[in-house]
Amino acid sequence: MANSRSFSASAPSTLTPPPVPGRGRLRAVAPDEVVQIADFLPPGATWLPAPQHTLPTLPGQPPMVGYLVLVPAGQEPVAAAPEPVLPEPRQAPAPGPIRIDAVQRAAEVEGRVLDLTYLEFELLAHLVAHPHRVHTRDQLVTTVWGYGHVGDGRTVDVHVARLRRKLGAEHRRTIQTVRRVGYKYAPPTAR
């Protein structure tokens, strides 16, 4: 089988990052550039288009294209060097009375720990991480629930109502409804 297919990218890249030791050779391809894939494959390997049913689909996006690389039996793939584990950067606490601890998966409002379900925590953490930003219901479903979620914006409405109830009367207004759009987290301003 001949390996004479070409790849193209949607946007040209003028910067090519330096190669990382122990990794494959990856770089952006200009739209008009023809690349010989055989130059990137290990010796004896071939590549085939992946069956369409094996590729993920994103709502509103064109179908994805994928390829399978077949390596001869007994040929070990080049293992990448293990990446050093870096400590997670500590984020400055978000303004407002709600505090999120992503490591311990805990949320509290003015020192009172909230008893949240997994999705309630994810939704609150996402909103608090982006204060004053308006999120549509579809954006929240995609970000918090994931692409494979079957449901609608009404699911978000129900979870927001539960969150507001758990925040209490004094802090329920920190999650504001933007009519006909979605929701935003608006911490109270210092007086």
Side-chain angles (χ1 to χ4, degrees), residues 4-5 9 16 43 48 50 60 71 74 86 115 120 123 142 148 152-153 157:
S4 61
R5 300 179 191 212
T16 303
L48 303 167
V71 180
L86 301 174
D115 182 25
E120 289 169 348
L123 178 60
T142 301
D152 58 6
D157 297 341

Side-chain angles (χ1 to χ4, degrees), residues 44-127:
T46 58
W47 63 288
L48 303 167
Q52 193 62 40
H53 73 277
T54 63
L55 301 172
T57 57
L58 303 177
Q61 297 293 322
M64 292 186 177
V65 177
Y67 295 90
L68 301 173
V69 176
L70 305 173
V71 180
Q75 185 175 343
E76 295 296 322
V78 178
E83 294 185 23
V85 176
L86 301 174
E88 290 185 17
R90 295 303 265 172
Q91 297 178 346
I98 300 174
R99 301 277 182 239
I100 303 292
D101 184 352
V103 175
Q104 295 185 358
R105 296 196 55 81
E108 62 181 43
V109 58
E110 289 189 349
R112 179 175 52 95
V113 177
L114 300 174
D115 182 25
L116 302 176
T117 66
Y118 175 82
L119 287 171
E120 289 169 348
F121 176 83
E122 291 295 319
L123 178 60
L124 183 62
H126 182 74
L127 290 171

Side-chain angles (χ1 to χ4, degrees), residues 25-46:
R25 296 174 285 174
L26 298 176
R27 65 179 178 80
V29 179
D32 59 342
E33 183 179 0
V34 175
V35 178
Q36 296 300 323
I37 300 301
D39 297 340
F40 292 95
L41 295 176
T46 58

